[in-house]
Amino acid sequence: MSAMTALANQLRSAFFLASRDAYVKGAFVLPALLAVSTILLVLLFPDANMHVMFESGLLGIVRTGALFGTCLAMAGIVTHDVSSGGLRAAVLAERGRGGYVASRVILALVLAVLLGVWSVLLGMAPLLGPRVVFEGMPAGELALRVAAHVLVGWTYAVFGMLLLWLARSPRGFASAFFAAVILGAGVLNALLLVPVAVLIPLSQELAFGAIQLIVPILPSSLLGDAFVADARLVVLPIAYVIVFWALSRRVMARAPL
């Protein structure tokens, strides 16, 4: 069996499982709940001085869907793979280990894009209601910010899968949800800043130099108020995914069945 055939089989299996997985369905429900609650607040309190800030509201829904939702969906899928024996079945197939990792990384990207598109559509819903306020953000910048959330959501999800494969702990919903929460909150950024914390007691100059090097490559730098609209928007997430993908392959290559 060729590597491409093995990957194609793993992809078919991954998308079939994702189409029926409760975590994936939950990932699509969460941004819908946020959008509905926003509209209901305005409709239920018509006399209140309440407005919907369109750009911020849309990005909030996208953050819930494309970022947190992708982490939740993939954490749930990996947890189900471990607990149900699906992981063992996948890696026992010919070329199964590499194909399994690749299929999950690709699935994470597809889900991040779908959740991003779904969240944007939901974010447009407040336009149909009253008291929508526009902040004046250019449409191009808004689109790039949405893309950043999609790519960072993909990055966080792939990092989360690496951690779950290392742990190999089938603890169900609680562990998957907790993993999604800490991933969505940016635990990757905190881990990247650990060298700065180590250097502070030794030398403030070295710590300052380290933070100057690390801050520009933090995934969170793509989501902050000081928005990055250069090549890092695409290069940074892809670079992290490649690193985590390679590490995941090594973990799977040595993992006992």
Side-chain angles (χ1 to χ4, degrees), residues 241-251:
V241 166
I242 290 173
V243 171
F244 299 145
W245 187 338
L247 291 174
S248 296
R249 285 176 61 91
R250 289 182 67 86
V251 168

Side-chain angles (χ1 to χ4, degrees), residues 4 17 23 28 51 65 77 87 94 152 164 168 208 211:
M4 291 303 296
L17 292 173
Y23 288 93
F28 280 88
H51 297 85
I77 286 173
L87 174 58
E94 185 179 355
V152 172
L164 290 168
R168 298 285 291 275
F208 180 76
I211 201 168

